[in-house]
Amino acid sequence: MAPGEREHAETERTGGDDLGGFLRTRRARVDPAGVGIPVDSRRRVAGLRREEVAHLSGVSVDYYVRLEQGRATQPSDQVLDALARVLGLDGTEREHLARLACRRRTRAKAPGGRVRPELLRVLDLVPDAPALIMNHRLDVLAGNRLAALLFGRSSAAGLNTARHIFLEEAERGLYAEWEQCTLDAVGHLRLAAGKYPDDPRLASLIGELAMGSERFRRLWARADVRARTHGRKTYRHPLVGLLELHQENFTLPDASGMELIVLSAPPGSAAADGLRLLGGLSAGSAGAAGAEHGSPAAAPRLRN
């Protein structure tokens, strides 16, 4: 097997699950010409070679090879900064790189899933917008009434949005921008896997998604990481039509791994009218519509 083919196979096998895999996927995406390296028709490696990354980062080739192979000592911040610069990492990817580099020393325990009663009261204080509390696995731990109606369920609690996006909703289902949603979900789970590598429930979810969705497998192999804190979220609800909402993610304290997510609409907008119409529906009618649309209604569940 040629060197370029061998490196490609190695990347496909690891998929970026560790430091070496992440480095391989990142250097494969760097345009050599963009960093001043001449390219000719004989070049068989996608992106940068290991020795090129080492040279541009100011480390020895032997050290970089050992770093990718998991045999090097913990890299310094200076080395990580140099690698991030050469590989063109953004802030989220730089943090992920540092987390992967040090996780052999500090392996974070996956946080619990109990939602404090005070947080449940906060959800009830948001009557005009879907609001929910989600953990690092994208499990919905609690939600208000509008959140349940949006997803066509009797309760939003118990829903896993990654499973919902990849396994339960077709491309023309609830998520109007389904492809973007898949990118966000995979990027979030990538970050979570870096933070909590010993979480068995997270590993089980990733395995389930990989078994059930070809798109998930392809996106997971890219090893992209994303930290979306706000932005547009568009839903195609079967009863109220298109809802162009704005999503805000609020990270909750105490290292809980949870986020409060609120989906709002500008006053006087068509989406605001749609949310008012949604709020006038009964849970039964929304659940029935969700089941017809491909989203099974959940049985009532306690929010804690």
Side-chain angles (χ1 to χ4, degrees):
M1 182 181 293
E5 294 171 343
R6 181 167 58 249
E7 289 184 10
H8 176 74
E10 197 171 6
T11 299
E12 285 293 307
R13 185 174 64 254
T14 63
D17 289 329
D18 55 13
L19 176 61
F22 185 67
L23 289 172
R24 283 189 289 273
T25 60
R26 297 308 96 177
R27 67 179 170 85
R29 299 181 186 188
V30 178
D31 179 9
V35 293
I37 297 175
V39 179
D40 58 34
S41 60
R42 294 173 295 178
R43 188 180 181 93
R44 302 183 65 180
V45 176
L48 296 179
R49 297 187 176 96
R50 287 169 173 161
E51 58 269 25
E52 292 167 343
V53 175
H55 173 72
L56 293 169
S57 303
V59 300
S60 70
V61 175
D62 177 68
Y63 178 75
Y64 182 79
V65 169
R66 288 188 289 114
L67 198 60
E68 277 202 3
Q69 294 176 344
R71 298 186 294 111
T73 57
Q74 301 296 337
S76 67
D77 287 339
Q78 291 82 355
V79 169
L80 294 178
D81 285 340
L83 290 173
R85 172 181 53 80
V86 171
L87 299 176
L89 305 187
D90 61 23
T92 299
E93 291 171 322
R94 171 63 178 85
E95 291 180 7
H96 186 63
L97 176 67
R99 193 175 296 115
L100 293 177
C102 74
R103 76 181 188 184
R104 280 183 290 178
R105 290 181 304 192
T106 57
R107 300 179 75 89
K109 181 180 179 181
R114 183 179 180 275
V115 180
R116 293 183 286 109
E118 295 81 1
L119 290 175
L120 298 180
R121 290 203 297 270
V122 171
L123 292 178
D124 293 333
L125 294 174
V126 188
D128 300 325
L132 44 90
I133 295 172
M134 191 177 297
N135 66 10
H136 63 284
R137 291 185 292 266
L138 298 180
D139 295 321
V140 177
L141 304 178
N144 64 5
R145 179 174 176 273
L146 269 183
L149 292 171
L150 175 63
F151 290 106
R153 300 165 65 94
S154 57
S155 171
L159 175 74
N160 178 275
T161 58
R163 185 180 293 114
H164 196 235
I165 290 169
F166 282 100
L167 304 183
E168 297 174 7
E169 283 292 319
E171 295 183 35
R172 299 184 181 277
L174 178 64
Y175 303 94
E177 298 173 328
W178 182 80
E179 291 189 355
Q180 182 63 48
C181 289
T182 63
L183 293 172
D184 290 340
V186 172
H188 177 98
L189 291 177
R190 267 288 178 196
L191 279 180
K195 291 179 182 178
Y196 311 111
D198 298 325
D199 182 353
R201 292 178 62 187
L202 177 60
S204 176
L205 172 65
I206 292 168
E208 177 188 354
L209 296 174
M211 288 290 291
S213 169
E214 179 184 355
R215 179 165 175 81
F216 180 87
R217 290 194 298 273
R218 287 191 284 109
L219 293 180
W220 189 258
R222 289 164 48 172
D224 292 338
V225 291
R226 290 175 179 238
R228 188 176 186 187
T229 57
H230 61 88
R232 185 179 68 183
K233 200 80 168 182
T234 307
Y235 297 89
R236 189 186 298 108
H237 195 276
L239 295 180
V240 302
L242 198 66
L243 293 170
E244 294 185 356
L245 305 176
H246 179 83
Q247 176 174 310
E248 285 286 345
N249 294 40
F250 302 93
T251 301
L252 299 180
D254 303 326
S256 66
M258 298 181 193
E259 291 182 322
L260 169 64
I261 298 172
V262 180
L263 297 157
S264 64
S269 65
D273 293 339
L275 287 180
R276 280 194 293 273
L277 181 59
L278 184 66
L281 300 176
S282 67
S285 62
E292 292 176 3
H293 202 60
S295 301
R301 296 184 59 160
L302 294 177
R303 293 195 293 180
N304 60 353

